[in-house]
Amino acid sequence: MIMQEIMPEQRENFVWAEKWAKYLTKSLVKSSENADVILYISQLFMAKACGDSCVRCTEQQAQQLGSLVSMHPAQVAPFIFDGQALFLYRYFALEQRLAHQVQRLIAQQPTQVDTSSYLSLLPDPYQQQALQMVGQSALNMITGGPGTGKTYTLARIVAVLNHCLPHLRIAMAAPTGKAAQRMQEALQLSFSDPDLQQQGLIQPELLLLKPVTLHRLLGIGRQGQAKFTAQQPLPYDLIIVDEASMLDLNLATLLFEAIPDHARLILLGDAQQLASVDVGSVLADLQQPKRLQPYRVNLLNSRRFSDDALIGKMARFIQQVTARQLNAAQVLDTFEQEVVAAGQLQILDLNSIQKDLVQLQYLNAETAIEQALQQLWSGFEDYTQSLLAYLQGEQSQAEVEQVIACFDHYRILTAIHHGEFGLERINQFMQQQLLKILLPYTQAVGDWYIGRPVMMTENDDQLGLANGDIGICFFQKEDHQQFSVFFPSLQKWVIAQRLPKNIATAFALTIHKSQGSEFAHTAVVLDAQAEKLLSQELIYTAITRAKKAVSLLVDRAAFAQALTCQTVRHSGLIRKIEQSIE
């Protein structure tokens, strides 16, 4: 890999990989082979940084690592060669552990539930199939795109199981705090369905279910050790994980090991979305082995996006591009013909939108950066007005809730942290615009000001906050000279000064961090500097965060890359699962 080809986002990983490779080879490899070995090890470390658990190599190449590599899985060494690929020992071992747990779960026989008399609760044959599957199996995967009714189906499955299995202990979790909050909101809405109420399927305990982050569910502390393990399994009969595409190899292994022998596990997710930030694409891998097909139902019929609505059209366009074999020029022309033509982004009135829509504007050398950022700022009009109402009002909880609701109407999503349209620059500009408007009523004190949206960037066990939790800064109730941050996913107030210094302003999010969230309107910004980082999974994840409108502000070449490049993560998990359940 040539340094000039490294994106700024990757440069630190490259330097780290090369230093480790040189350190490991310093005394353990023949000097004549040193350069090749440094290259192999650097590639493996860089692959890890990209989410791969291994790199393809030949036995001859692997043998050049000498005593650093084991050719036999039972022998511990820094690297393992399995006949097809080279692994860091840690990820080879994690894949083995996870494959063993998959084999254990499909061998289990949980209490069988006859769901035949409840199939009328679900109008779609795929949804009915999912209900029947969960009634029989310990391992269950329910996948599907946006609007296919994953949560709707789940609510009915949970209601039926809870009715048929007395004293059922249920746990619900998601990889992030925001995803857990959205899961709770969607489930509570589904549980209020009159059909379920009339059939007596909604017991009071269902209304008290509160999804948590997976880290909280498993009791994972700062050192990464889980409280609940194979030796001390989770005390539940039904464990449900939403947004399962975000599961990385390590977290999935810890989860599967903590599932009791008698319990059911349900994984919900959309495998078309981005895989986890860390190593692994577990949900996508679990869908590949033939022996696991009876434990997966893919919901196909979208009810959120109608056939002539543009977000749904764009999502289908992305899914079909690879099969159509369009080149970069063709893909942009075809996109404009079949989805939406390029023009200027318009200010949108979300209340007047009848069908979901997409608007597209290309960035070019003549684009005025300040003007483009101002266009992005216009989406926060409702948020700004709600903050002014709060400042001019009584600062009541109702006004706080209105601010939060308006903030969730709109979010800016970007692929990169640095650059003219990177996360840092966008957030800085949005902050400046907000402070100009609020200046007559309030001003910043240090980093803090009324209306500052923030996101946790790491777990904080003392405060009970998790990486990804989002809050908004308000006055302290008791002292309007001080600031507190309200985290709606937890219904928790935290004094601003107690929050970590590295907490991030969150007018804009990276597309990775937006997973598990939904907004009425998202603005997706892809400039030329992001081109090498883009993929179909990234743009698909970005646009499906929106319920009503997507505004695309994109560089032509970067957008073509996003539409045509399909990410394939390399792992040995599929092979290990197939071997373990033969």
Side-chain angles (χ1 to χ4, degrees), residues 407-536:
F407 183 63
D408 277 345
H409 286 170
Y410 175 69
R411 204 62 45 88
I412 303 167
L413 306 181
T414 183
I416 57 176
H417 286 83
H418 309 289
E420 293 170 345
F421 292 100
L423 188 71
E424 292 180 3
R425 178 74 179 95
I426 294 172
N427 275 320
Q428 182 186 53
F429 184 88
M430 302 304 142
Q431 175 176 294
Q432 291 168 348
Q433 298 307 111
L434 181 62
L435 286 173
K436 285 179 189 175
I437 294 171
L438 301 186
L439 187 59
Y441 305 97
T442 183
Q443 56 186 335
V445 178
D447 293 333
W448 293 102
Y449 51 89
I450 297 301
R452 181 191 179 193
V454 292
M455 181 180 66
M456 292 290 292
T457 57
E458 59 186 28
N459 297 332
D460 191 313
D461 297 331
Q462 280 192 324
L463 295 177
L465 298 173
N467 186 2
D469 284 343
I470 289 179
I472 295 176
C473 181
F474 296 96
F475 288 127
Q476 276 190 34
K477 291 182 180 180
E478 301 79 12
D479 180 5
H480 281 196
Q481 302 302 310
Q482 304 293 326
F483 296 129
S484 277
V485 176
F486 184 62
F487 290 87
S489 64
L490 304 169
Q491 291 293 299
K492 172 181 282 193
W493 288 90
V494 179
I495 296 170
Q497 298 303 321
R498 292 191 61 196
L499 290 165
K501 292 291 184 184
N502 62 353
I503 198 164
T505 302
F507 292 99
L509 301 175
T510 62
I511 297 169
H512 277 92
K513 285 290 188 181
S514 74
Q515 279 186 277
S517 299
E518 272 188 358
F519 313 102
H521 177 199
T522 62
V524 182
V525 188
L526 307 175
D527 71 346
Q529 293 185 57
E531 184 177 346
K532 290 189 174 108
L533 295 176
L534 300 177
S535 66
Q536 291 175 355

Side-chain angles (χ1 to χ4, degrees), residues 154-255:
L154 176 67
R156 279 148 182 75
I157 289 172
V158 171
V160 169
L161 291 181
N162 190 63
H163 179 74
C164 296
L165 300 172
H167 311 297
L168 187 70
R169 298 169 300 169
I170 304 170
M172 295 185 174
T176 67
K178 186 62 180 178
Q181 178 195 6
R182 191 164 69 84
M183 184 185 189
Q184 181 173 18
E185 292 167 353
L187 279 170
Q188 294 306 320
L189 183 64
S190 294
F191 285 148
S192 65
D193 191 309
D195 287 346
L196 296 180
Q197 302 278 356
Q198 289 169 9
Q199 296 201 34
L201 293 177
I202 300 301
Q203 303 301 318
E205 62 268 19
L206 291 184
L207 302 177
L208 299 176
L209 287 174
K210 185 174 177 60
V212 296
T213 65
L214 273 169
H215 280 75
R216 288 198 184 98
L217 176 69
L218 296 171
I220 298 175
R222 284 183 175 273
Q223 304 302 316
Q225 300 297 315
K227 174 183 177 182
F228 295 101
T229 62
Q231 290 70 41
Q232 186 180 349
L234 288 162
Y236 300 104
D237 310 303
L238 175 63
I239 296 115
I240 301 157
V241 178
D242 197 9
E243 298 292 347
S245 65
M246 299 170 70
L247 279 174
D248 61 71
L249 182 58
N250 181 61
L251 190 56
T253 302
L254 294 177
L255 169 67

Side-chain angles (χ1 to χ4, degrees), residues 371-398:
Q371 183 180 345
L373 291 171
Q374 191 67 47
Q375 287 177 286
L376 296 173
W377 164 251
S378 66
F380 286 114
E381 174 65 24
D382 288 348
Y383 180 57
T384 304
Q385 293 304 315
S386 68
L387 282 170
L388 289 171
Y390 165 84
L391 288 167
Q392 296 169 6
E394 300 175 357
Q395 286 90 55
S396 66
Q397 186 63 27

Side-chain angles (χ1 to χ4, degrees), residues 134-374:
V134 178
Q136 305 298 314
S137 307
L139 174 63
N140 305 273
M141 294 175 279
I142 302 174
T143 60
T148 51
K150 294 188 294 293
T151 306
Y152 172 90
T153 304
L154 176 67
R156 279 148 182 75
I157 289 172
V158 171
V160 169
L161 291 181
N162 190 63
H163 179 74
C164 296
L165 300 172
H167 311 297
L168 187 70
R169 298 169 300 169
I170 304 170
M172 295 185 174
T176 67
K178 186 62 180 178
Q181 178 195 6
R182 191 164 69 84
M183 184 185 189
Q184 181 173 18
E185 292 167 353
L187 279 170
Q188 294 306 320
L189 183 64
S190 294
F191 285 148
S192 65
D193 191 309
D195 287 346
L196 296 180
Q197 302 278 356
Q198 289 169 9
Q199 296 201 34
L201 293 177
I202 300 301
Q203 303 301 318
E205 62 268 19
L206 291 184
L207 302 177
L208 299 176
L209 287 174
K210 185 174 177 60
V212 296
T213 65
L214 273 169
H215 280 75
R216 288 198 184 98
L217 176 69
L218 296 171
I220 298 175
R222 284 183 175 273
Q223 304 302 316
Q225 300 297 315
K227 174 183 177 182
F228 295 101
T229 62
Q231 290 70 41
Q232 186 180 349
L234 288 162
Y236 300 104
D237 310 303
L238 175 63
I239 296 115
I240 301 157
V241 178
D242 197 9
E243 298 292 347
S245 65
M246 299 170 70
L247 279 174
D248 61 71
L249 182 58
N250 181 61
L251 190 56
T253 302
L254 294 177
L255 169 67
F256 275 60
E257 287 180 338
I259 305 297
D261 285 343
H262 69 278
R264 286 174 168 84
L265 171 65
I266 300 177
L267 301 177
L268 252 66
D270 182 353
Q272 300 289 333
Q273 287 188 32
L274 282 166
S276 62
V277 175
D278 292 317
V279 170
S281 51
V282 174
L283 184 64
D285 285 351
L286 289 176
Q287 294 176 52
Q288 301 307 312
K290 289 184 179 179
R291 284 280 281 110
L292 294 187
Q293 294 310 303
Y295 309 100
R296 180 225 179 178
V297 172
N298 187 37
L299 307 180
L300 295 176
N301 300 316
S302 177
R303 288 162 177 79
R304 183 195 299 175
F305 303 129
S306 58
D307 290 340
D308 57 347
L310 295 183
I311 299 177
K313 276 188 178 179
M314 184 171 176
R316 288 191 293 276
F317 183 90
I318 294 167
Q319 292 168 335
Q320 296 164 4
V321 162
T322 302
R324 294 167 73 173
Q325 298 182 327
L326 301 172
N327 63 33
Q330 291 170 332
V331 77
L332 294 183
D333 289 343
T334 308
F335 181 85
E336 291 202 44
Q337 292 167 14
E338 296 184 4
V339 182
V340 64
Q344 291 290 309
L345 298 186
Q346 304 297 314
I347 296 175
L348 301 177
D349 177 5
L350 295 177
N351 295 321
S352 67
I353 295 175
Q354 299 300 314
K355 294 177 181 175
D356 61 276
L357 62 83
V358 175
Q359 51 178 349
L360 169 66
Q361 178 179 328
Y362 287 126
L363 295 166
N364 54 50
E366 289 73 43
T367 301
I369 296 168
E370 292 283 322
Q371 183 180 345
L373 291 171
Q374 191 67 47

